[in-house]
Amino acid sequence: MTYTVNCSILLTELPLLERPAAAKAAGFDAVEFWWPFESSVPSDAQVTEFENAIQDAGVQLTGLNFNAGNMPGGDRGLVSWKGRCSEFKDNIDVVAGIGGRLGCKAFNALYGNRQEEFTPEEQDELAVRNLAAAAEGVARIGGTVLLEPVSGAPRYPLLTADDALKVIARVKAEAGVGNIKLLADFYHLSVNGDDVQSVIENHAKDFGHIQIADNPGRGAPGTGTLPLGEWIARSRELGYEGYIGLEYKEPQETAFSWAIREHAAK
């Protein structure tokens, strides 16, 4: 099983730039990150420091988020955020640059919360343009934009796989881009009441990425009741060939105990 460690939510006891090496020491060869900088356009020195941390650790960067704003403060993306369009557009070249240098091909564009001062239709029109620009920006390095349903954010409009797939279909129809896919986070989909098994049966072969956490609690696999192993296996059977992103909350000491047990059982 090819797992990739989300170093923005795991290993948080360590400074950000020490986490890739910690993931490698734990036995993993791949990592993914939310946007690791405060601004959409960090300094060259900051970007180099981030890239060096990954390369020096000897791991592959498999996924990177576009700037999503202040995540701890409740922001969930700039894609549909009217007033920050230029900031999102400026971020595209930085994301594509990092991806090109590190061989990363998957880029998560969080849609953004609803704004009271604008209609959903106005925000959705902007989102289509921004997603098209992002897709075109990463296409030159063979990249794919991911669109993700999210839980726990009351003003985030994409809750189910169908919500995201409708946006993806609209972007494809209006902008003619094909490199935008669903990020199937089994935890978020489950919490939002989506029929995860049905989503897998109907769309697994077209998933751009899978992420997992157990529920309740968003903990490590085995801490809750979700049949994550079955869902992953079925997704593989139906054609999903990508990484499985580990995006859960667990102390460093026990973060990968389940993986050690899984490996020992084989």
Side-chain angles (χ1 to χ4, degrees):
M1 188 63 65
T2 307
Y3 294 113
T4 181
V5 178
N6 191 300
C7 289
S8 294
I9 193 172
L10 281 164
L11 305 171
T12 55
E13 296 89 346
L14 300 172
L16 187 78
L17 297 182
E18 293 181 16
R19 296 175 199 171
K24 180 69 172 182
F28 297 92
D29 295 320
V31 297
E32 61 184 22
F33 279 85
W34 301 341
W35 185 241
F37 309 104
E38 291 187 4
S39 65
S40 284
V41 184
S43 69
D44 290 345
Q46 289 174 313
V47 172
T48 298
E49 191 176 26
F50 173 72
E51 293 176 353
N52 286 346
I54 292 171
Q55 291 175 318
D56 291 347
V59 293
Q60 174 63 50
L61 181 67
T62 60
L64 181 66
N65 283 21
F66 290 89
N67 184 14
N70 179 9
M71 293 276 283
D75 295 347
R76 289 296 182 272
L78 307 184
V79 168
S80 65
W81 192 330
K82 293 183 70 67
R84 300 185 72 173
C85 183
S86 61
E87 189 178 347
F88 180 78
K89 293 287 181 63
D90 290 343
N91 188 225
I92 295 172
D93 282 340
V94 183
V95 169
I98 294 171
R101 288 185 293 274
L102 295 183
C104 179
K105 303 291 187 182
F107 307 97
N108 186 16
L110 289 177
Y111 197 76
N113 295 324
R114 288 305 192 200
Q115 298 169 267
E116 293 181 0
E117 62 269 38
F118 299 103
T119 66
E121 290 77 16
E122 289 174 311
Q123 286 192 261
D124 292 342
E125 288 177 6
L126 174 62
V128 169
R129 295 195 297 271
N130 278 339
L131 287 169
E136 291 167 359
V138 302
R140 64 178 181 266
I141 61 168
T144 298
V145 172
L146 305 173
L147 193 61
E148 178 183 21
V150 167
S151 65
R155 293 182 291 119
Y156 191 88
L158 307 185
L159 302 179
T160 67
D162 190 57
D163 292 336
L165 289 166
K166 286 178 179 176
V167 174
I168 292 170
R170 179 177 175 182
V171 177
K172 289 181 177 179
E174 296 185 14
V177 296
N179 58 324
I180 177 169
K181 293 188 175 183
L182 174 69
L183 194 167
D185 185 310
F186 293 159
Y187 168 80
H188 287 312
L189 294 176
S190 178
V191 169
N192 287 341
D194 211 348
D195 184 343
V196 178
Q197 189 64 52
S198 178
V199 172
I200 293 168
E201 294 297 327
N202 292 321
H203 303 291
K205 67 180 184 301
D206 300 317
F207 287 168
H209 187 40
I210 290 174
Q211 290 176 332
I212 61 170
D214 218 331
N215 187 50
R218 201 177 186 181
T223 61
T225 60
L226 299 184
L228 296 172
E230 295 176 18
W231 286 345
I232 292 169
R234 185 58 177 158
S235 298
R236 295 287 193 203
E237 289 174 0
L238 293 174
Y240 178 72
E241 298 178 344
Y243 286 91
I244 306 297
L246 305 180
E247 196 188 49
Y248 55 82
K249 300 176 182 179
E250 192 74 25
Q252 182 181 356
E253 290 183 2
T254 57
F256 309 116
S257 299
W258 65 273
I260 295 171
R261 291 193 299 270
E262 182 179 274
H263 180 74
K266 292 182 178 179

